[in-house]
Amino acid sequence: MLKTISVAHSPDADDIFMYYAIKFGWVTPTDAVFENIADDIETLNQATLKGEYDICAISFALYPFVKDDYALLKTAVSFGEGYGPKLIKRKGTKLKRNFKVALSGEYTTNALLFRIAYPDARITYMNFLDIENAVLKGEVDAGVLIHESILNYSDELEVEREIWDIWVELSGGNLPLPLGGMCLRRSIPLHNAIDYENTLIKAVDVANKNRKVLAPMLLEKGLIRVDAGTLDNYLDLYANDNSVMLSEVQYEALDKLYELGYKHGFYENLIRSKDFLIPSEYQELRNS
C-alpha cells in the first residue's frame, strides 16, 4: 500500500504552478501518493512550527525555527531580483516613526526585514489578501503587499519603500532576495526523503519547461486568482529557471538572511543553509 505524504503549499500562482505537474499526474513519486493542501503562507509557517505536514512551503525566514525537525529542500524556491514585497500607503500621506503597519505574518521574510528596518513601527498581522483594503480604509497607516498583490493594487495607493531596497541596504547588494521555499520532515526515512525531493525537483522543472501548456490549464480550471497577463508576469518573477534548484548565489543569499536575523536578535544561533539539506549524495553512494 502506498504511503500518503502531505504536501502543503500556498494558493498563490507560483506555488500552484510549481506543484500541479504532480496534481495532473505528469510527475509521481515512486512509492507514495502526494496529498496537497493549499493555505496562506503564514498559516503554513505556523503549521510547520507545529509539525503538521510532511512537506511544506515556508517563508525562508521561518527556517531557523524549524531546522531540527525539517530539512530544507533545494527546489520550489522563490527569490526576488530587483523586486519583491512592497510597503504601500495612501497617496500623499507621510508616515510617522511609529506608524501602524499590516504585515502578512510574524515569520514571513518581509516581516523580518521590515522589523529590522522599522523597529518603532506598530505591527499588526493579517491575511495578505486583506492588507490592501486595511490601508485603504485607514485601519492601518501602511501595509506590505506580497504575492500577486504587488502587481495590481489600487491607484489610491503608492509605494513608500520596496522591501528589495531594504534587503540591498542590509545585505550589501548583489544578492537575490530570499522569499520562500519548502522543507521536509526529518523523521521521513532518508531514501524516501531523497525520492520526494527529486519528485518535486522534477515537477518544478517540468512545469517550467511546459509553461505554455500548464499555465492555460490552470487558468481554464479556475485554479489561479489572476488573469492570463498577470499570471505570465508573476511567473516571470517567481516561478522560473531559478526556482528549480538552489544555486550558489541563492545559498549565499540565504546565509546572509540568517546572518542578519542572528545579528539583530531574531535567531538564537547562526546557521548555514547547506548544513540543513537532505544529503542526496547518499543515494549515489548506495547505487555505486
PDB file of all heavy atoms in Angstrom, residues 185-212:
ATOM      1  N   ARG A 185       9.906  16.881   6.557  1.00  0.00           N
ATOM      2  CA  ARG A 185      10.028  16.335   7.900  1.00  0.00           C
ATOM      3  C   ARG A 185      11.227  15.390   8.007  1.00  0.00           C
ATOM      4  O   ARG A 185      11.393  14.465   7.218  1.00  0.00           O
ATOM      5  CB  ARG A 185       8.736  15.581   8.250  1.00  0.00           C
ATOM      6  CG  ARG A 185       8.620  15.205   9.713  1.00  0.00           C
ATOM      7  CD  ARG A 185       7.491  14.209   9.928  1.00  0.00           C
ATOM      8  NE  ARG A 185       6.215  14.648   9.420  1.00  0.00           N
ATOM      9  CZ  ARG A 185       5.390  15.474  10.061  1.00  0.00           C
ATOM     10  NH1 ARG A 185       5.746  15.981  11.229  1.00  0.00           N
ATOM     11  NH2 ARG A 185       4.223  15.801   9.541  1.00  0.00           N
ATOM     12  N   ARG A 186      12.068  15.598   9.020  1.00  0.00           N
ATOM     13  CA  ARG A 186      13.288  14.804   9.178  1.00  0.00           C
ATOM     14  C   ARG A 186      13.004  13.350   9.563  1.00  0.00           C
ATOM     15  O   ARG A 186      13.861  12.478   9.360  1.00  0.00           O
ATOM     16  CB  ARG A 186      14.187  15.437  10.245  1.00  0.00           C
ATOM     17  CG  ARG A 186      14.847  16.722   9.799  1.00  0.00           C
ATOM     18  CD  ARG A 186      15.929  17.147  10.771  1.00  0.00           C
ATOM     19  NE  ARG A 186      16.532  18.407  10.362  1.00  0.00           N
ATOM     20  CZ  ARG A 186      17.473  18.517   9.445  1.00  0.00           C
ATOM     21  NH1 ARG A 186      17.917  17.446   8.813  1.00  0.00           N
ATOM     22  NH2 ARG A 186      17.973  19.704   9.141  1.00  0.00           N
ATOM     23  N   SER A 187      11.831  13.071  10.109  1.00  0.00           N
ATOM     24  CA  SER A 187      11.520  11.699  10.521  1.00  0.00           C
ATOM     25  C   SER A 187      11.240  10.783   9.335  1.00  0.00           C
ATOM     26  O   SER A 187      11.170   9.561   9.488  1.00  0.00           O
ATOM     27  CB  SER A 187      10.312  11.692  11.468  1.00  0.00           C
ATOM     28  OG  SER A 187       9.177  12.265  10.841  1.00  0.00           O
ATOM     29  N   ILE A 188      11.096  11.341   8.133  1.00  0.00           N
ATOM     30  CA  ILE A 188      10.900  10.529   6.931  1.00  0.00           C
ATOM     31  C   ILE A 188      12.212   9.809   6.609  1.00  0.00           C
ATOM     32  O   ILE A 188      13.279  10.436   6.604  1.00  0.00           O
ATOM     33  CB  ILE A 188      10.461  11.413   5.746  1.00  0.00           C
ATOM     34  CG1 ILE A 188       9.056  11.978   6.004  1.00  0.00           C
ATOM     35  CG2 ILE A 188      10.488  10.640   4.421  1.00  0.00           C
ATOM     36  CD1 ILE A 188       8.605  13.000   4.978  1.00  0.00           C
ATOM     37  N   PRO A 189      12.180   8.501   6.369  1.00  0.00           N
ATOM     38  CA  PRO A 189      13.412   7.770   6.042  1.00  0.00           C
ATOM     39  C   PRO A 189      14.175   8.433   4.892  1.00  0.00           C
ATOM     40  O   PRO A 189      13.556   8.925   3.944  1.00  0.00           O
ATOM     41  CB  PRO A 189      12.902   6.380   5.658  1.00  0.00           C
ATOM     42  CG  PRO A 189      11.615   6.239   6.402  1.00  0.00           C
ATOM     43  CD  PRO A 189      11.007   7.609   6.415  1.00  0.00           C
ATOM     44  N   LEU A 190      15.505   8.400   4.978  1.00  0.00           N
ATOM     45  CA  LEU A 190      16.321   9.162   4.049  1.00  0.00           C
ATOM     46  C   LEU A 190      16.078   8.790   2.590  1.00  0.00           C
ATOM     47  O   LEU A 190      15.959   9.665   1.729  1.00  0.00           O
ATOM     48  CB  LEU A 190      17.806   8.990   4.399  1.00  0.00           C
ATOM     49  CG  LEU A 190      18.799   9.765   3.536  1.00  0.00           C
ATOM     50  CD1 LEU A 190      18.474  11.253   3.516  1.00  0.00           C
ATOM     51  CD2 LEU A 190      20.229   9.536   4.040  1.00  0.00           C
ATOM     52  N   HIS A 191      15.974   7.485   2.291  1.00  0.00           N
ATOM     53  CA  HIS A 191      15.792   7.114   0.879  1.00  0.00           C
ATOM     54  C   HIS A 191      14.459   7.624   0.348  1.00  0.00           C
ATOM     55  O   HIS A 191      14.353   7.995  -0.823  1.00  0.00           O
ATOM     56  CB  HIS A 191      15.917   5.593   0.692  1.00  0.00           C
ATOM     57  CG  HIS A 191      14.836   4.796   1.328  1.00  0.00           C
ATOM     58  ND1 HIS A 191      14.810   4.539   2.690  1.00  0.00           N
ATOM     59  CD2 HIS A 191      13.725   4.197   0.803  1.00  0.00           C
ATOM     60  CE1 HIS A 191      13.736   3.809   2.972  1.00  0.00           C
ATOM     61  NE2 HIS A 191      13.071   3.592   1.856  1.00  0.00           N
ATOM     62  N   ASN A 192      13.427   7.687   1.224  1.00  0.00           N
ATOM     63  CA  ASN A 192      12.145   8.258   0.803  1.00  0.00           C
ATOM     64  C   ASN A 192      12.262   9.770   0.635  1.00  0.00           C
ATOM     65  O   ASN A 192      11.730  10.339  -0.331  1.00  0.00           O
ATOM     66  CB  ASN A 192      11.055   7.955   1.830  1.00  0.00           C
ATOM     67  CG  ASN A 192      10.731   6.484   1.933  1.00  0.00           C
ATOM     68  OD1 ASN A 192      10.778   5.912   3.016  1.00  0.00           O
ATOM     69  ND2 ASN A 192      10.394   5.838   0.816  1.00  0.00           N
ATOM     70  N   ALA A 193      12.948  10.411   1.577  1.00  0.00           N
ATOM     71  CA  ALA A 193      13.114  11.861   1.508  1.00  0.00           C
ATOM     72  C   ALA A 193      13.796  12.276   0.211  1.00  0.00           C
ATOM     73  O   ALA A 193      13.391  13.256  -0.435  1.00  0.00           O
ATOM     74  CB  ALA A 193      13.917  12.351   2.707  1.00  0.00           C
ATOM     75  N   ILE A 194      14.817  11.512  -0.187  1.00  0.00           N
ATOM     76  CA  ILE A 194      15.524  11.802  -1.442  1.00  0.00           C
ATOM     77  C   ILE A 194      14.572  11.668  -2.625  1.00  0.00           C
ATOM     78  O   ILE A 194      14.551  12.511  -3.532  1.00  0.00           O
ATOM     79  CB  ILE A 194      16.744  10.886  -1.602  1.00  0.00           C
ATOM     80  CG1 ILE A 194      17.799  11.217  -0.545  1.00  0.00           C
ATOM     81  CG2 ILE A 194      17.343  11.005  -3.002  1.00  0.00           C
ATOM     82  CD1 ILE A 194      18.941  10.219  -0.459  1.00  0.00           C
ATOM     83  N   ASP A 195      13.765  10.617  -2.617  1.00  0.00           N
ATOM     84  CA  ASP A 195      12.803  10.399  -3.703  1.00  0.00           C
ATOM     85  C   ASP A 195      11.783  11.538  -3.768  1.00  0.00           C
ATOM     86  O   ASP A 195      11.459  12.038  -4.853  1.00  0.00           O
ATOM     87  CB  ASP A 195      12.091   9.061  -3.509  1.00  0.00           C
ATOM     88  CG  ASP A 195      11.036   8.815  -4.580  1.00  0.00           C
ATOM     89  OD1 ASP A 195      11.356   8.961  -5.776  1.00  0.00           O
ATOM     90  OD2 ASP A 195       9.885   8.495  -4.219  1.00  0.00           O
ATOM     91  N   TYR A 196      11.269  11.961  -2.612  1.00  0.00           N
ATOM     92  CA  TYR A 196      10.261  13.020  -2.591  1.00  0.00           C
ATOM     93  C   TYR A 196      10.853  14.344  -3.072  1.00  0.00           C
ATOM     94  O   TYR A 196      10.216  15.075  -3.838  1.00  0.00           O
ATOM     95  CB  TYR A 196       9.683  13.192  -1.187  1.00  0.00           C
ATOM     96  CG  TYR A 196       9.056  11.939  -0.608  1.00  0.00           C
ATOM     97  CD1 TYR A 196       8.920  11.784   0.764  1.00  0.00           C
ATOM     98  CD2 TYR A 196       8.629  10.894  -1.434  1.00  0.00           C
ATOM     99  CE1 TYR A 196       8.369  10.636   1.309  1.00  0.00           C
ATOM    100  CE2 TYR A 196       8.078   9.743  -0.901  1.00  0.00           C
ATOM    101  CZ  TYR A 196       7.955   9.606   0.477  1.00  0.00           C
ATOM    102  OH  TYR A 196       7.413   8.461   1.013  1.00  0.00           O
ATOM    103  N   GLU A 197      12.076  14.636  -2.650  1.00  0.00           N
ATOM    104  CA  GLU A 197      12.699  15.873  -3.123  1.00  0.00           C
ATOM    105  C   GLU A 197      12.939  15.805  -4.631  1.00  0.00           C
ATOM    106  O   GLU A 197      12.672  16.778  -5.355  1.00  0.00           O
ATOM    107  CB  GLU A 197      14.021  16.126  -2.409  1.00  0.00           C
ATOM    108  CG  GLU A 197      14.687  17.424  -2.884  1.00  0.00           C
ATOM    109  CD  GLU A 197      15.956  17.768  -2.126  1.00  0.00           C
ATOM    110  OE1 GLU A 197      16.833  16.888  -2.023  1.00  0.00           O
ATOM    111  OE2 GLU A 197      16.070  18.906  -1.654  1.00  0.00           O
ATOM    112  N   ASN A 198      13.421  14.664  -5.125  1.00  0.00           N
ATOM    113  CA  ASN A 198      13.648  14.525  -6.567  1.00  0.00           C
ATOM    114  C   ASN A 198      12.349  14.656  -7.354  1.00  0.00           C
ATOM    115  O   ASN A 198      12.333  15.205  -8.469  1.00  0.00           O
ATOM    116  CB  ASN A 198      14.312  13.176  -6.869  1.00  0.00           C
ATOM    117  CG  ASN A 198      15.773  13.143  -6.463  1.00  0.00           C
ATOM    118  OD1 ASN A 198      16.396  14.182  -6.287  1.00  0.00           O
ATOM    119  ND2 ASN A 198      16.323  11.946  -6.289  1.00  0.00           N
ATOM    120  N   THR A 199      11.256  14.157  -6.787  1.00  0.00           N
ATOM    121  CA  THR A 199       9.945  14.288  -7.432  1.00  0.00           C
ATOM    122  C   THR A 199       9.560  15.756  -7.558  1.00  0.00           C
ATOM    123  O   THR A 199       9.089  16.211  -8.608  1.00  0.00           O
ATOM    124  CB  THR A 199       8.870  13.534  -6.628  1.00  0.00           C
ATOM    125  OG1 THR A 199       9.215  12.151  -6.566  1.00  0.00           O
ATOM    126  CG2 THR A 199       7.499  13.680  -7.271  1.00  0.00           C
ATOM    127  N   LEU A 200       9.780  16.505  -6.482  1.00  0.00           N
ATOM    128  CA  LEU A 200       9.444  17.929  -6.506  1.00  0.00           C
ATOM    129  C   LEU A 200      10.356  18.703  -7.460  1.00  0.00           C
ATOM    130  O   LEU A 200       9.903  19.594  -8.184  1.00  0.00           O
ATOM    131  CB  LEU A 200       9.526  18.504  -5.100  1.00  0.00           C
ATOM    132  CG  LEU A 200       8.413  18.041  -4.147  1.00  0.00           C
ATOM    133  CD1 LEU A 200       8.759  18.364  -2.706  1.00  0.00           C
ATOM    134  CD2 LEU A 200       7.079  18.672  -4.527  1.00  0.00           C
ATOM    135  N   ILE A 201      11.643  18.349  -7.485  1.00  0.00           N
ATOM    136  CA  ILE A 201      12.564  18.994  -8.427  1.00  0.00           C
ATOM    137  C   ILE A 201      12.085  18.765  -9.860  1.00  0.00           C
ATOM    138  O   ILE A 201      12.016  19.697 -10.669  1.00  0.00           O
ATOM    139  CB  ILE A 201      13.999  18.451  -8.256  1.00  0.00           C
ATOM    140  CG1 ILE A 201      14.588  18.896  -6.916  1.00  0.00           C
ATOM    141  CG2 ILE A 201      14.898  18.917  -9.410  1.00  0.00           C
ATOM    142  CD1 ILE A 201      15.899  18.203  -6.554  1.00  0.00           C
ATOM    143  N   LYS A 202      11.727  17.522 -10.146  1.00  0.00           N
ATOM    144  CA  LYS A 202      11.261  17.197 -11.496  1.00  0.00           C
ATOM    145  C   LYS A 202       9.965  17.921 -11.826  1.00  0.00           C
ATOM    146  O   LYS A 202       9.774  18.410 -12.948  1.00  0.00           O
ATOM    147  CB  LYS A 202      11.069  15.677 -11.631  1.00  0.00           C
ATOM    148  CG  LYS A 202      10.753  15.228 -13.048  1.00  0.00           C
ATOM    149  CD  LYS A 202      10.693  13.708 -13.146  1.00  0.00           C
ATOM    150  CE  LYS A 202      10.382  13.268 -14.573  1.00  0.00           C
ATOM    151  NZ  LYS A 202      10.279  11.789 -14.675  1.00  0.00           N
ATOM    152  N   ALA A 203       9.065  18.030 -10.840  1.00  0.00           N
ATOM    153  CA  ALA A 203       7.781  18.701 -11.066  1.00  0.00           C
ATOM    154  C   ALA A 203       7.991  20.177 -11.407  1.00  0.00           C
ATOM    155  O   ALA A 203       7.354  20.715 -12.328  1.00  0.00           O
ATOM    156  CB  ALA A 203       6.901  18.571  -9.833  1.00  0.00           C
ATOM    157  N   VAL A 204       8.880  20.848 -10.674  1.00  0.00           N
ATOM    158  CA  VAL A 204       9.144  22.261 -10.942  1.00  0.00           C
ATOM    159  C   VAL A 204       9.795  22.422 -12.308  1.00  0.00           C
ATOM    160  O   VAL A 204       9.459  23.327 -13.081  1.00  0.00           O
ATOM    161  CB  VAL A 204      10.028  22.872  -9.835  1.00  0.00           C
ATOM    162  CG1 VAL A 204      10.349  24.336 -10.141  1.00  0.00           C
ATOM    163  CG2 VAL A 204       9.336  22.764  -8.476  1.00  0.00           C
ATOM    164  N   ASP A 205      10.716  21.516 -12.634  1.00  0.00           N
ATOM    165  CA  ASP A 205      11.395  21.573 -13.931  1.00  0.00           C
ATOM    166  C   ASP A 205      10.416  21.333 -15.081  1.00  0.00           C
ATOM    167  O   ASP A 205      10.422  22.058 -16.077  1.00  0.00           O
ATOM    168  CB  ASP A 205      12.521  20.534 -13.951  1.00  0.00           C
ATOM    169  CG  ASP A 205      13.410  20.665 -15.172  1.00  0.00           C
ATOM    170  OD1 ASP A 205      13.752  21.813 -15.535  1.00  0.00           O
ATOM    171  OD2 ASP A 205      13.772  19.635 -15.774  1.00  0.00           O
ATOM    172  N   VAL A 206       9.571  20.322 -14.929  1.00  0.00           N
ATOM    173  CA  VAL A 206       8.573  20.008 -15.963  1.00  0.00           C
ATOM    174  C   VAL A 206       7.605  21.183 -16.144  1.00  0.00           C
ATOM    175  O   VAL A 206       7.268  21.566 -17.270  1.00  0.00           O
ATOM    176  CB  VAL A 206       7.807  18.712 -15.605  1.00  0.00           C
ATOM    177  CG1 VAL A 206       6.560  18.563 -16.464  1.00  0.00           C
ATOM    178  CG2 VAL A 206       8.717  17.502 -15.776  1.00  0.00           C
ATOM    179  N   ALA A 207       7.149  21.766 -15.031  1.00  0.00           N
ATOM    180  CA  ALA A 207       6.240  22.912 -15.113  1.00  0.00           C
ATOM    181  C   ALA A 207       6.904  24.073 -15.838  1.00  0.00           C
ATOM    182  O   ALA A 207       6.312  24.702 -16.721  1.00  0.00           O
ATOM    183  CB  ALA A 207       5.812  23.330 -13.708  1.00  0.00           C
ATOM    184  N   ASN A 208       8.148  24.346 -15.469  1.00  0.00           N
ATOM    185  CA  ASN A 208       8.865  25.467 -16.065  1.00  0.00           C
ATOM    186  C   ASN A 208       9.064  25.261 -17.570  1.00  0.00           C
ATOM    187  O   ASN A 208       8.882  26.193 -18.358  1.00  0.00           O
ATOM    188  CB  ASN A 208      10.219  25.623 -15.366  1.00  0.00           C
ATOM    189  CG  ASN A 208      10.921  26.915 -15.721  1.00  0.00           C
ATOM    190  OD1 ASN A 208      10.318  27.968 -15.741  1.00  0.00           O
ATOM    191  ND2 ASN A 208      12.213  26.825 -15.993  1.00  0.00           N
ATOM    192  N   LYS A 209       9.405  24.034 -17.957  1.00  0.00           N
ATOM    193  CA  LYS A 209       9.646  23.752 -19.376  1.00  0.00           C
ATOM    194  C   LYS A 209       8.360  23.663 -20.194  1.00  0.00           C
ATOM    195  O   LYS A 209       8.396  23.784 -21.422  1.00  0.00           O
ATOM    196  CB  LYS A 209      10.437  22.448 -19.515  1.00  0.00           C
ATOM    197  CG  LYS A 209      11.890  22.572 -19.066  1.00  0.00           C
ATOM    198  CD  LYS A 209      12.617  21.242 -19.124  1.00  0.00           C
ATOM    199  CE  LYS A 209      14.079  21.396 -18.731  1.00  0.00           C
ATOM    200  NZ  LYS A 209      14.786  20.093 -18.650  1.00  0.00           N
ATOM    201  N   ASN A 210       7.236  23.447 -19.518  1.00  0.00           N
ATOM    202  CA  ASN A 210       5.952  23.302 -20.217  1.00  0.00           C
ATOM    203  C   ASN A 210       4.963  24.401 -19.817  1.00  0.00           C
ATOM    204  O   ASN A 210       3.758  24.190 -19.782  1.00  0.00           O
ATOM    205  CB  ASN A 210       5.350  21.926 -19.916  1.00  0.00           C
ATOM    206  CG  ASN A 210       6.163  20.805 -20.513  1.00  0.00           C
ATOM    207  OD1 ASN A 210       6.020  20.459 -21.681  1.00  0.00           O
ATOM    208  ND2 ASN A 210       7.046  20.231 -19.708  1.00  0.00           N
ATOM    209  N   ARG A 211       5.506  25.571 -19.533  1.00  0.00           N
ATOM    210  CA  ARG A 211       4.686  26.691 -19.053  1.00  0.00           C
ATOM    211  C   ARG A 211       3.561  27.045 -20.025  1.00  0.00           C
ATOM    212  O   ARG A 211       2.435  27.350 -19.603  1.00  0.00           O
ATOM    213  CB  ARG A 211       5.597  27.897 -18.837  1.00  0.00           C
ATOM    214  CG  ARG A 211       4.897  29.167 -18.433  1.00  0.00           C
ATOM    215  CD  ARG A 211       5.930  30.165 -17.955  1.00  0.00           C
ATOM    216  NE  ARG A 211       5.467  31.523 -18.050  1.00  0.00           N
ATOM    217  CZ  ARG A 211       6.197  32.585 -17.717  1.00  0.00           C
ATOM    218  NH1 ARG A 211       7.409  32.420 -17.254  1.00  0.00           N
ATOM    219  NH2 ARG A 211       5.718  33.805 -17.823  1.00  0.00           N
ATOM    220  N   LYS A 212       3.825  26.993 -21.330  1.00  0.00           N
ATOM    221  CA  LYS A 212       2.807  27.383 -22.308  1.00  0.00           C
ATOM    222  C   LYS A 212       1.628  26.421 -22.336  1.00  0.00           C
ATOM    223  O   LYS A 212       0.544  26.771 -22.793  1.00  0.00           O
ATOM    224  CB  LYS A 212       3.436  27.480 -23.702  1.00  0.00           C
ATOM    225  CG  LYS A 212       4.393  28.656 -23.849  1.00  0.00           C
ATOM    226  CD  LYS A 212       4.957  28.755 -25.250  1.00  0.00           C
ATOM    227  CE  LYS A 212       5.889  29.956 -25.390  1.00  0.00           C
ATOM    228  NZ  LYS A 212       6.467  30.051 -26.758  1.00  0.00           N
TER     229      LYS A 212
END
